[in-house]
Amino acid sequence: SAARAHDADLGVVFAEEDAEGGEQKESTPLVVVEKGDDAAIREAAGPYEAFARASKFEGGLGQAFAVPDAGKPGGVASVLYGADDGSEPLALGLAPSKLPGGTYKIVRSGKIVESDGRDADEIAVMDAIAWGLGSYKFTRLKAQKGGAGEGDAETPPTLLLSEGTDALVARAVVEGMYLARDLINLPANLMGPEELENEAQALAELHGAKIRVVRGDTLTRDFPMIDAVGRASDRPPRLVEIAWGPEDAPKIALVGKGVVFDTGGLNIKPGSAMLPMKKDMGGAAAILGLSHMLMKTGINARLQILVPIAENSISSNAFRPSDVLTSKAGLTVEIGNTDAEGRLILADAMTLADADKPELVIDMATLTGAHRVALGWDLPGLFTNNDEAANEIAEWGERLGDPIWRLPLHKGYESYLNSKVADTSSTGSKPLAGAITAALFLKKFVPETLKAGGTWIHIDFAGWTDPRPGRPEGGEAHAIQALYFYLMNRFGEK
């Protein structure tokens, strides 16, 4: 986490300009050009334009061409870097894997698209974030460093943050993303309930936040559905609560699903579906990463960070399909499927958050396969009662390359959750609209927030990504960059 080392050393990933009057760091200009911008390529390549063309450099996404230094045999005067048509916000995320070791400074050349409202300072921060995200690696579990595909044998490239770059924001976002990715990528034997609790403890200590952990008989009494989901494992369930910020500041509750491994319970998953389930604590990882960003940059808010943690295992005391559980809220819940466990632990944690009627409740979870069927790996589904919030978060997502797609809280499907024996079913009566019915189930546990005019946001996301710019294959905390900038824009700094 930010309180421990990452496999990609952020002290190497970024460097900053020395203070005014100090010795300036040497760097190689990394000249970003768009495909088809012949004038910019000609200006940047100078007398080596023909060489660049012969090398097939056209400004395509991630293309790089080293411009020789005429005064230094074997030296490099600058590097041309392609941004294609300029529409990919994370174009610089490919650069760390394309460039040799050294220190680089980004120079925007030719056309700079500002039609989306971004100014030069914002572009500088986004470029720095993209570079940082693309520098991420997860290699700690390999015994042999520098082996095939490792990339550890060479010194990684460093980005010299340009003047006007908000280094605090760039570092906070990248650190938060690294934290979340690390937690998701670690296998469940190394990231169980205790280890995830320890990560939350370290984060709270780093930021001077208060923390309490509920477990044992107290958990059974006060958070019965968290206990029910996790009791079959010999690694006990728990609830972590972190409080940070002035008590009189606007209240934000952040809730993340922390199922460290999901067998599916008695409704056991097939092997192919179980294999990636180390990522089922992706909601907790994302919320901890987002919380780091917010606390490091000093949001003007009172944060309540809630991480319900459990392992959904199988044993003689596992909860069963058709069991009726009494939630913390007092609602009775008929279990339709033990593989729909995440919503149960979220519901008890959200009930705790709802008691304070916060201005905003955000919950995040790798919740449903139905979401992935609808939107795939890269698009989180957003559910909310607040149209303005949905639009603003989506706009930030587009600007950042962290896209998000709104899905409906369709009232017509509320009847799917009817139960003949309990207040509600956990899963619904039809094998349809699974992401929507899951969201409608969770909505039942924030009634006071909604009555008081507060905002509730539910994010259903995959927690994993195929390789693309700024997104190395593996664990991914989708949507938290968009959420971070939305929250900072709405609540401001202390």
Side-chain angles (χ1 to χ4, degrees), residues 130-493:
W131 176 284
L133 296 181
S135 298
Y136 177 81
K137 59 183 178 179
F138 186 79
T139 57
R140 72 190 64 182
L141 302 183
K142 294 194 175 186
Q144 295 182 339
K145 302 295 182 182
E150 280 287 323
D152 283 339
E154 297 182 1
T155 302
T158 296
L159 178 65
L160 182 61
L161 299 178
S162 60
E163 186 178 351
T165 303
D166 192 329
L168 177 64
V169 169
R171 288 182 182 275
V173 171
V174 173
E175 287 171 359
M177 290 294 294
Y178 278 22
L179 167 59
R181 289 173 175 179
D182 282 354
L183 299 185
I184 298 171
N185 282 326
L186 282 164
N189 65 313
L190 302 178
M191 185 49 60
E194 183 176 357
E195 290 83 2
L196 186 52
E197 175 194 328
N198 290 342
E199 291 290 342
Q201 291 270 11
L203 187 67
E205 182 178 347
L206 178 68
H207 295 291
K210 295 179 181 179
I211 184 169
R212 75 166 180 137
V213 181
V214 183
R215 56 168 72 84
D217 291 342
T218 305
L219 185 78
T220 304
R221 183 191 69 220
D222 294 343
F223 301 92
M225 293 205 297
I226 300 175
D227 175 74
V229 169
R231 70 189 180 206
S233 173
D234 61 3
R235 301 193 291 180
R238 61 207 72 191
L239 173 74
V240 174
E241 180 180 18
I242 297 172
W244 177 92
E247 293 188 10
D248 59 350
K251 291 182 173 62
I252 302 174
L254 304 173
V255 188
K257 171 188 168 185
V259 175
V260 297
F261 194 79
D262 182 17
T263 65
L266 293 177
N267 291 115
I268 191 168
K269 293 177 181 288
S272 59
M274 196 187 301
L275 183 62
M277 282 299 104
K278 68 177 185 179
K279 75 178 183 67
D280 213 24
M281 40 64 69
I287 285 297
L288 292 176
L290 173 60
S291 299
H292 171 72
M293 299 176 191
L294 296 170
M295 291 188 286
K296 179 159 184 167
T297 54
I299 189 170
N300 180 33
R302 173 71 170 179
L303 299 184
Q304 181 188 35
I305 302 156
L306 296 169
V307 182
I309 304 173
E311 181 172 23
N312 191 17
S313 296
I314 299 172
S315 72
S316 61
N317 68 337
F319 75 118
R320 296 164 288 265
S322 79
D323 278 0
V324 175
L325 306 179
T326 301
S327 67
K328 179 177 179 60
L331 288 174
T332 55
V333 179
E334 181 183 13
I335 303 304
N337 189 310
T338 62
D339 195 20
E341 82 299 328
R343 66 197 68 184
L344 304 177
I345 69 172
L346 283 173
D348 270 2
M350 289 166 64
T351 298
L352 177 61
D354 188 56
D356 286 339
K357 302 178 184 177
E359 282 197 28
L360 178 61
V361 177
I362 299 175
D363 76 83
M364 298 190 69
T366 51
L367 204 62
T368 67
H371 150 260
R372 293 191 301 279
V373 170
L375 299 179
W377 287 114
D378 293 335
L379 271 180
L382 179 149
F383 298 85
T384 183
N385 64 313
N386 187 321
D387 293 342
E388 183 178 356
N391 292 336
E392 290 182 15
I393 293 167
E395 288 172 6
W396 277 111
E398 286 299 311
R399 292 166 74 168
L400 294 158
D402 189 24
I404 194 164
W405 199 264
R406 189 179 187 184
L407 294 174
L409 287 164
H410 180 50
K411 289 184 178 181
Y413 293 159
E414 289 178 348
S415 62
Y416 289 7
L417 292 168
N418 290 345
S419 166
K420 294 180 180 178
V421 299
D423 294 324
T424 183
S425 167
S426 64
T427 55
S429 57
K430 298 181 186 295
L432 304 169
I436 297 174
T437 53
L440 290 170
F441 175 82
L442 292 175
K443 183 182 176 184
K444 296 175 183 287
F445 297 91
V446 286
E448 298 306 317
T449 299
L450 298 178
K451 287 178 188 175
T455 296
W456 166 57
I457 295 169
H458 164 57
I459 306 288
D460 191 346
F461 71 110
W464 201 261
T465 185
D466 293 326
R468 59 189 182 91
R471 312 281 193 194
E473 182 178 7
E476 186 60 301
H478 301 95
I480 66 172
Q481 295 174 74
L483 288 170
Y484 166 74
F485 282 97
Y486 162 73
L487 291 171
M488 292 302 296
N489 187 62
R490 175 172 169 179
F491 293 96
E493 299 178 12

